[in-house]
């Protein structure tokens, strides 16, 4: 009578990829297992040797090495090895050694092949490399949800209604009536388009409210050309954008109508009402409350709502881009309201200025735990003796106010309150020019944050001007890119997790890991270098990646890998922060491996691997090793 | 506790019996066909190095500890060599013991009256059991149980003599600890002796915890323990006759 293998089956059914198999298959598999014992230091697999088993660590610890001897992986109970060898010519690809006395279950090739052919999840798990597993993980964790998966093009009710700029206002109103729309897009058929313009020939929009305020109330002649009353400087969104992006864009720019374009051609117009069907609560209301607050005290009282909004979005399975953007819009609204309040209190500004956000907020990647990084761009007519007092007060008011709202003061002093970071536009250009033309890695280390900037209030076009300046100047400046690349290597990811601690590359153990410092921040650093190299003006890491991929400077597939890794690391951070908030604990960026799910551990490990590879590629691409010598 | 490498203690022990020769004699005497076949299959030479020996780990669950009064309720075994344990060839039989089950023993191995109501008598298991053991060296944890109970079973039911070479992992473990530095001293000073039970012994080699008192799992556990003992304390090229009894 053949014996059941209760112990082995029970063990296998606890670990992926076996846990997903039907019980009878696990039982059958357990009967095929052979068991081997290795002492500490024993070589289990030697490079190039024939291999005919898949190995599962039952107890003990083994290490997997690259061919050059570098540690590739460290496995404990439930860890798999030998799969690559089985799949590729039955030759060992990654040598393996026992680092503790280990008992290993060996699954014969025939059983492995049967499962591989029959069960897709099993095949996926063993066959795909880190990066692919990463991608699948990102897809898996993105539970379908209206806001995150619905494209804005699905909201379009009817074809865009477009009129020539020279028709009369009366004709325009008739057209709107005929098509039953509350807007009319205005185009200029004679417009000469620049080659790489995204704008198309649509130059403006007229809405119901324009007809009311600019025509009826003003008593304007109905025969006037409609072009006279249109609103220009139109924001438009690509048809492939998600609904939440449309929402954020409208919130940010205070728009009622948003044209949706496909290759410069307007497909339709989405109204705020259309979007409200999708998003009935939370961030919208919160932004409104921020604008209604009458003083700093009232603003500070909104902090719990910010946390609620964050947790709610996490629970609704929003993705990291969506949460980051929403949190950034909220942060921006706080700043804008504080600046409004400051101008009420201290009077109109004596000269024009621009308040800029730096770092994660500028990148739309702000999460719940964040310090404030900001600066002021002043008009070139600035005279210290006349204006210094005003901007000192204004900056003090805003930064203190932000601190009260949970955006703690920047420990590095990168804030508008610091006279060093209140400069005129020309001074800023000069400073950026210096950073780029005479790169000093040490000085750059503290200033990389300035390369993510976004205008929040006042002359926001100056921020755009600075972005263009940086994009032009940095693009082909190899010494600068090399210095920046070198800095991007300073924060390395850990090797992975092992039992309940973090395994460092040098073998040290830590009890917790700062996922920002060791994961998302170095990834953003890597992405920034590539973005500046291709002259991208985008600030958000995901948007930067789009442009980097388009520029084709990365090996095929690597851009997508980086995107998936960033998304995964951010989502783990976000989820853990949300859990902390729900439990009434102060959220931070530290995570203890023992609090991670098996899914998170496994995929974080893959994500770190991708980051590590990306850093190596950076070294190679920008010769950053030589930066210090040149 | 980490164990220091020992140079191999078995040169201290005299070589065990000459089993291949004894099998020839037993084959002559046996009348039961399967048993005769078993002996005729022969036994490897005592000089065979451990690395080339085909082993089979064996465990019996019984109604009690007295082989004269109690009987076997289940038999588990798994073939192995120093490289691998071959679970695919593992076997497990529930059998109906001669005297009724006492309630004591039920508590230990969890086998109930209804489990064995339909179980075959041990007589029906002899043949496949002997086939599975043929040509292999039996490894057990605490040799008296398996040796005495099987001898009794064959003599009671078939009036045959059943003898076979045994390696006892408990004996190995006891020797290891007697030989450890100061082990004898601690023993003399009345220090608590290390537990030689199967699960306690396995722990010392970082082997995982298995549920015990299931004949087939205990056989598996014994096989793994033996391999670990060899890897830690013995040389793979020592002769099997230094270990078998």
């Amino acid at each position: 009578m053949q014996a059941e293998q209760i112990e082995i089956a029970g063990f296998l059914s606890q670990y992926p990829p076996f846990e997903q198999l039907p019980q009878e298959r696990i039982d059958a598999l357990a009967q095929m297992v052979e068991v081997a014992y290795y002492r500490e230091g024993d070589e289990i697999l030697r490079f190039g040797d024939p291999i005919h088993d898949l190995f599962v660590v039952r107890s003990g610890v083994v290490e997997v090495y690259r061919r050059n001897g570098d540690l590739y992986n460290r496995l404990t109970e439930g860890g798999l090895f030998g799969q690559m060898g089985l799949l590729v010519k039955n030759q060992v690809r990654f040598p393996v050694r026992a680092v503790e006395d280990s008992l290993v279950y060996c699954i014969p090739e025939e059983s492995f092949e049967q499962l591989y052919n029959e069960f897709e999840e099993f095949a996926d798990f063993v066959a795909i490399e880190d990066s692919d597993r990463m991608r699948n993980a990102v897809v898996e964790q993105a539970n379908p949800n209206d806001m995150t998966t619905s494209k804005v093009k699905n909201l379009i009710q009817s074809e865009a209604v477009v009129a020539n700029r020279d028709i009369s206002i009366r004709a325009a109103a008739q057209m709107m009536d005929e098509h039953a729309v509350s807007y009319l897009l205005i185009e200029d058929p004679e417009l000469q388009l620049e080659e790489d313009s995204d704008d198309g020939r649509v130059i403006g929009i007229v809405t119901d409210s324009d007809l009311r305020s600019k025509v009826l109330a003003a008593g304007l002649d109905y025969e006037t050309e409609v072009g006279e009353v249109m609103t220009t400087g139109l924001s438009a969104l690509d048809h492939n954008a998600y609904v939440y992006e449309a929402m954020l864009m409208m919130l940010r720019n205070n728009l009622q109508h948003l044209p949706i374009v496909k290759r410069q051609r307007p497909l339709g117009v989405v109204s705020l009402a259309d979007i409200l069907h999708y998003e009935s609560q939370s961030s919208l209301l919160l932004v409104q409350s921020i604008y209604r607050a009458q003083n700093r005290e009232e603003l500070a009282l909104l902090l719990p709502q910010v946390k609620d909004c964050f947790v709610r979005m996490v629970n609704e399975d929003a993705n990291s881009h969506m949460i980051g953007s929403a949190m950034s819009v909220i942060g921006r609204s706080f700043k804008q309201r504080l600046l409004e309040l400051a101008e009420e209190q201290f009077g109109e500004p004596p000269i024009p200025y621009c308040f800029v956000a730096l770092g994660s907020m500028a990148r739309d990647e702000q999460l719940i735990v964040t310090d404030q990084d900001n600066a002021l761009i002043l008009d070139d007519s600035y005279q210290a003796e006349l204006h210094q007092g005003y901007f000192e007060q204004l900056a003090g008011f805003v930064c203190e106010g932000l601190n009260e709202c949970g955006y703690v003061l920047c420990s590095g002093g990168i804030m508008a309150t610091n006279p060093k970071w209140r400069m005129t536009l020309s001074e800023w250009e000069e400073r950026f020019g210096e950073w780029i033309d005479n790169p000093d890695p040490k000085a750059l280390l503290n200033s990389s944050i300035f390369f993510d900037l976004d205008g929040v209030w006042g002359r926001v076009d100056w921020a755009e001007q600075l972005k263009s300046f940086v994009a032009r100047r940095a693009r082909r400046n190899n010494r600068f890119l090399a210095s920046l690349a070198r800095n991007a290597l300073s924060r390395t990811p850990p090797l992975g997790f092992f039992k309940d601690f973090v395994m460092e590359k040098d073998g040290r153990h830590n009890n917790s890991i700062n996922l920002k410092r060791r994961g998302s921040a170095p990834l953003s650093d890597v992405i920034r270098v590539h973005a500046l190299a291709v002259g991208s003006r985008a600030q958000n890491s995901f948007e930067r990646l789009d442009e980097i991929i388009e520029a084709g400077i990365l090996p095929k597939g690597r851009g997508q890998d980086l995107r998936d890794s960033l998304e995964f690391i951010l989502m783990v951070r976000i989820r853990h922060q949300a859990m902390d908030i729900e439990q009434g604990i102060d959220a931070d960026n530290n995570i203890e491996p023992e609090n991670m799910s098996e899914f998170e551990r496994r995929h974080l490990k893959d994500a770190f691997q991708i980051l590590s590879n990306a850093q190596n590629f950076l070294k190679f691409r920008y010769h950053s090793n030589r930066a210090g010598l040149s | 506790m980490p164990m220091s490498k020992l140079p191999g203690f078995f040169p201290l022990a005299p070589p065990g019996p000459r089993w291949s020769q004894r099998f020839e004699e037993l084959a002559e005497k046996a009348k039961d066909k399967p048993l005769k076949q078993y002996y005729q299959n022969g036994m490897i030479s005592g000089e065979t190095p451990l690395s080339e020996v085909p082993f089979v780990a064996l465990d019996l669950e019984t109604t009690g500890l007295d082989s004269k009064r109690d009987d076997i309720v289940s038999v588990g075994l798994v073939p192995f060599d120093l490289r691998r344990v071959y679970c695919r060839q593992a076997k497990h039989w529930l059998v109906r013991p001669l005297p009724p089950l006492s309630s004591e023993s039920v508590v230990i191995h969890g086998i109930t009256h209804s489990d064995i109501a339909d179980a075959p008598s041990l007589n029906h298991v002899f043949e496949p059991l002997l086939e599975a053991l043929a040509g292999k060296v039996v490894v057990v944890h605490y040799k008296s149980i398996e040796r005495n109970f099987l001898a009794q079973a064959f003599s009671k039911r078939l009036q045959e003599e059943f003898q076979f070479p045994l390696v006892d992992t408990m004996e190995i473990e006891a020797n290891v600890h007697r030989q450890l530095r100061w082990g004898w001293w601690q023993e003399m000073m009345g220090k608590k002796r290390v537990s030689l039970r199967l699960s306690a012994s396995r722990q010392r080699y970082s082997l995982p915890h298995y549920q015990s008192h299931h004949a087939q799992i205990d056989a598996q556990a014994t096989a793994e323990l033996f391999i670990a003992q060899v890897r830690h304390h013995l040389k793979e090229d020592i002769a099997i006759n230094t270990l078998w009894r």
Side-chain angles (χ1 to χ4, degrees):
Chain A
M1 175 174 155
Q2 195 169 31
E4 285 175 69
Q5 295 291 345
I6 310 163
E7 280 290 343
I8 298 173
F11 175 79
L12 290 178
S13 62
Q14 290 172 46
Y15 293 91
F18 308 105
E19 59 184 6
Q20 293 165 341
L21 299 175
Q23 188 59 44
E24 67 269 20
R25 297 304 298 265
I26 297 181
D27 292 341
L29 181 65
Q31 295 191 337
M32 304 303 287
V33 161
E34 295 180 358
V35 182
Y37 180 85
Y38 297 94
R39 271 196 78 179
E40 175 185 336
D42 283 355
E43 208 167 33
I44 302 176
L45 295 178
R46 234 186 350 211
F47 183 84
D49 276 2
I51 175 170
H52 296 284
D53 297 282
L54 174 70
F55 297 85
V56 186
V57 180
R58 174 59 179 86
S59 66
V61 181
V62 305
E63 282 181 350
V64 183
Y65 303 92
R66 290 184 191 283
R67 198 179 169 182
N68 65 10
D70 281 358
L71 182 56
Y72 174 70
N73 211 341
R74 183 179 276 220
L75 302 169
T76 174
E77 269 189 24
L80 286 189
F81 60 96
Q83 62 267 44
M84 282 309 288
L86 278 183
L87 290 167
V88 187
K89 290 196 231 156
N90 285 89
Q91 275 190 355
V92 173
R93 310 259 300 181
F94 295 97
V96 178
R97 182 186 296 278
V99 294
E100 281 179 16
D101 294 344
S102 300
L103 194 72
V104 173
Y105 288 164
C106 318
I107 294 173
E109 194 178 359
E110 311 83 70
S111 304
F112 170 79
E113 274 170 5
Q114 272 175 14
L115 294 173
Y116 186 83
N117 292 329
E118 252 178 86
F119 296 95
E120 210 168 315
E121 298 96 336
F122 183 90
D124 284 351
F125 188 88
V126 295
I128 52 189
E129 295 217 46
D130 301 338
S131 60
D132 297 322
R133 201 181 300 153
M134 191 72 252
R135 182 153 323 142
N136 295 350
V138 170
V139 174
E140 242 171 84
Q141 72 169 1
N143 223 332
N145 163 282
D146 279 351
M147 291 291 284
T148 49
T149 55
S150 193
K151 298 269 173 96
V152 71
K153 62 184 170 197
N154 299 330
L155 286 188
I156 297 173
Q157 307 277 346
S158 58
E159 236 178 88
V161 187
V162 187
N164 203 320
R165 65 172 301 162
D166 59 11
I167 68 166
S168 70
I169 289 173
R170 185 195 302 274
Q174 281 166 351
M175 251 183 109
M176 288 163 74
D177 192 41
E178 204 175 298
H179 289 92
V181 292
S182 56
Y183 72 90
L184 195 62
L185 293 179
I186 309 298
E187 69 175 359
D188 181 353
E190 269 130 54
L191 192 69
Q192 293 299 310
L193 289 181
E194 281 176 44
E195 228 169 85
D196 56 349
S197 161
D198 298 337
D199 302 335
R201 287 190 169 80
V202 172
I203 52 169
I205 188 169
V206 172
T207 65
D208 275 356
S209 75
D210 290 329
L211 295 181
R212 187 171 65 237
S213 58
K214 292 182 188 166
V215 181
L216 287 173
L220 201 67
D221 183 356
Y222 299 164
E223 297 309 319
T224 315
E225 281 188 7
V226 72
E228 301 285 308
V229 295
M230 68 181 176
T231 306
T232 54
L234 209 53
S235 306
L237 196 61
D238 187 80
H239 69 296
N240 271 322
Y242 290 98
V243 171
Y244 78 92
E245 293 179 278
M247 178 194 80
L248 291 167
M249 189 160 192
M250 295 173 92
L251 274 178
R252 211 174 146 176
N253 302 321
N254 195 22
L255 302 172
Q256 295 292 320
H257 295 88
L258 184 63
I260 307 302
V261 297
K262 179 182 185 180
R263 291 211 195 117
Q264 313 183 4
R265 201 172 55 80
L267 284 183
V269 173
V270 169
S271 73
L272 198 55
D274 295 332
I275 290 185
L276 287 176
H277 279 296
Y278 274 83
E279 233 261 352
S280 51
Q281 36 77 17
S282 73
S283 41
L284 270 176
L285 298 176
L286 178 55
V287 168
Q288 280 174 2
S289 309
I290 293 171
Y291 283 116
R292 285 203 203 104
Q294 288 308 309
N295 49 48
R296 268 162 53 175
E297 290 70 33
E298 283 184 32
L299 280 173
L301 289 176
L302 295 174
L303 180 57
Q305 286 190 39
V306 179
K307 290 183 175 174
D308 284 350
C309 176
F310 177 79
V311 171
R312 202 160 43 221
M313 291 183 86
V314 175
N315 291 338
E316 286 170 2
D317 291 317
N319 66 25
S320 77
H321 194 170
M322 180 174 174
I323 295 172
S325 310
M327 289 296 122
S328 299
V329 163
I330 290 166
R332 185 174 288 109
S333 305
F334 272 114
K335 293 188 181 72
Q336 289 172 342
R337 184 60 188 146
L338 280 165
L339 284 152
E340 252 174 1
L341 291 171
E343 289 185 8
E344 275 172 28
Q345 185 167 339
F346 307 121
E348 289 284 309
I351 52 165
Y353 72 97
C354 173
F355 190 92
V356 293
L358 303 165
S360 63
M361 210 201 82
R363 293 198 310 269
D364 270 356
E365 286 163 24
Q366 187 166 6
L367 300 184
I368 199 79
V369 183
T370 184
D371 50 0
Q372 47 170 303
D373 302 298
N374 46 57
L376 281 181
I377 308 173
L378 304 169
D379 191 73
D380 282 339
S381 65
Y382 174 80
Q383 287 177 278
E385 56 281 17
L386 293 179
H387 308 134
Q388 188 174 4
Y390 179 88
F391 288 108
E392 222 161 55
Q393 273 184 319
L394 176 114
F397 182 93
V398 173
C399 294
E400 281 304 319
L402 283 172
N403 192 36
E404 291 156 8
C405 295
Y407 304 91
V408 295
L409 297 172
C410 169
S411 54
I414 300 182
M415 288 184 294
T417 44
N418 187 340
K420 221 174 132 187
W421 307 123
R422 290 197 303 261
M423 289 190 279
T424 65
L425 182 57
S426 312
E427 285 170 338
W428 275 110
E429 288 195 349
E430 206 174 303
R431 176 58 57 92
F432 272 107
E434 218 167 280
W435 278 330
I436 295 169
D437 295 342
N438 302 303
D440 166 9
K442 258 193 212 127
L444 271 183
L445 201 55
N446 300 317
S447 53
S448 68
I449 196 169
F450 291 97
F451 289 87
D452 306 329
L453 85 155
D454 192 32
V456 169
W457 181 257
R459 294 292 302 269
V460 291
D461 54 316
W462 289 349
E464 295 305 312
Q465 210 173 312
L466 274 183
K467 281 186 213 170
S468 305
F469 176 84
V470 170
R472 279 196 314 271
R473 193 78 157 238
R475 191 169 183 174
R476 290 189 218 286
N477 194 318
N478 292 333
R479 275 183 62 216
F480 168 70
L481 292 172
S483 298
L484 210 59
R486 201 169 87 154
N487 287 342
L489 304 176
S490 62
R491 293 184 285 194
T492 54
L495 188 67
F497 310 101
F498 175 61
K499 288 178 178 165
D500 53 358
F501 48 80
V502 182
M503 186 76 194
E504 300 294 349
K505 284 194 171 139
D506 58 5
R508 267 185 311 124
H509 302 165
N510 283 319
N511 294 328
S512 73
I513 174 167
N514 186 316
L515 268 189
K516 181 182 184 183
R517 201 174 303 142
R518 307 294 303 284
S520 52
L523 259 174
S524 300
D525 288 345
V526 167
I527 293 167
R528 183 188 302 109
V529 178
H530 291 309
L532 289 169
V534 301
S536 162
R537 285 172 53 182
Q539 307 289 301
N540 178 268
S541 295
F542 293 103
E543 286 166 18
R544 281 175 167 170
L545 271 172
D546 284 340
E547 300 194 12
I548 293 164
I549 292 170
E550 204 167 308
I553 59 167
L554 295 184
K556 198 157 176 288
R558 294 287 173 80
Q560 184 62 33
D561 291 348
L562 286 174
R563 171 192 304 279
D564 294 334
S565 301
L566 182 62
E567 172 68 19
F568 194 82
I569 293 173
L570 286 174
M571 277 321 294
V572 174
R573 259 178 79 190
I574 286 169
R575 266 200 299 269
H576 282 265
Q577 292 183 346
M579 276 193 288
D580 284 350
I581 293 171
E582 282 182 309
Q583 290 169 11
I585 308 169
D586 273 344
D588 60 23
N589 291 314
N590 283 318
I591 297 183
E592 296 75 32
E594 57 182 346
N595 292 333
M596 292 179 196
S597 67
E598 179 63 26
F599 181 83
E600 285 178 339
R601 283 158 171 259
R602 202 174 274 278
H603 294 296
L604 271 179
K605 201 168 175 183
D606 294 342
F608 290 146
Q609 191 60 52
I610 288 167
L611 169 56
S612 196
N613 294 344
Q615 289 183 327
N616 286 335
F617 179 74
L618 206 64
K619 232 183 272 180
F620 152 79
R621 177 104 184 25
Y622 302 103
H623 303 291
S624 43
N625 287 336
R626 280 181 253 150
L629 306 172
S630 57
Chain B
M1 67 183 270
M3 282 180 283
S4 56
K5 274 192 193 170
L6 295 177
F9 48 86
F10 282 91
L12 298 174
R18 304 172 63 144
W19 280 104
S20 37
Q21 196 181 336
R22 195 179 294 175
F23 264 44
E24 282 169 31
E25 298 156 16
L26 288 164
E28 288 296 309
K29 280 200 273 176
K31 286 175 230 41
D32 179 66
K33 217 176 148 199
L35 185 61
K36 200 177 188 71
Q37 184 64 49
Y38 169 78
Y39 288 132
Q40 279 172 346
N41 247 309
M43 185 43 64
I44 53 164
S45 144
E47 302 301 320
T48 312
L50 295 186
S51 57
E52 287 169 26
V53 176
F55 294 100
V56 57
L58 176 70
D59 187 70
L60 304 179
E61 297 297 321
T62 57
T63 56
L65 295 175
D66 181 351
S67 60
K68 296 212 167 61
R69 209 187 63 203
D70 299 308
D71 202 4
I72 297 169
V73 285
S74 67
V75 180
L77 62 84
V78 60
F80 71 100
D81 53 36
L82 290 188
R83 210 177 68 85
R84 296 267 174 99
V85 182
Y86 303 99
C87 305
R88 194 185 319 195
Q89 298 164 43
K91 300 270 192 293
H92 184 235
W93 296 278
L94 284 180
V95 291
R96 198 167 62 243
L98 288 177
L101 278 176
S102 74
S103 47
E104 257 171 275
S105 59
V106 169
V107 177
I108 297 179
H109 40 63
I111 294 170
T112 62
H113 297 269
S114 62
D115 282 336
I116 51 165
D118 302 327
S121 139
L122 185 61
N123 298 45
H124 292 94
V125 170
F126 283 148
E127 190 171 348
L129 172 64
L130 288 168
E131 265 174 36
L133 300 183
K136 299 189 169 73
V137 175
V138 173
V139 178
V140 298
H141 195 75
Y142 188 45
K143 62 177 183 288
S144 313
I145 292 283
E146 277 73 16
R147 174 157 279 168
N148 296 343
F149 271 86
L150 283 176
Q152 277 292 329
F154 275 83
S155 106
K156 263 191 228 168
R157 288 173 167 90
L158 300 176
Q159 291 77 47
E160 287 277 8
E161 198 180 349
F162 185 38
Q163 294 185 22
F164 52 95
L166 267 182
V167 173
D168 183 356
T169 49
M170 187 193 266
E171 181 192 339
I172 296 176
E173 201 61 9
N175 283 330
V176 165
H177 288 280
R178 198 166 301 134
Q179 292 239 334
L180 279 179
R181 208 203 298 213
W182 301 115
W184 58 272
W185 172 256
Q186 290 185 341
E187 215 170 288
M188 264 175 60
M189 299 300 287
K191 284 271 170 58
K192 196 174 160 239
R193 290 170 72 166
V194 4
S195 168
L196 297 178
R197 297 176 54 158
L198 182 55
S199 65
S201 303
R202 283 172 59 86
Q203 265 183 27
R204 289 190 284 270
Y205 299 88
S206 313
L207 289 167
H209 173 77
Y210 286 170
Q211 61 162 294
S212 46
H213 300 299
H214 180 292
Q216 184 244 313
I217 295 175
D218 281 350
Q220 172 84 28
T222 304
E224 292 170 6
L225 173 62
F226 178 69
I227 297 173
Q229 287 174 328
V230 173
R231 302 297 319 262
H232 278 263
H233 307 297
L234 304 174
K235 288 207 175 78
E236 294 191 6
D237 56 4
I238 63 168
I240 182 64
N241 65 15
T242 59
L243 288 184
W244 72 17
R245 299 287 177 265

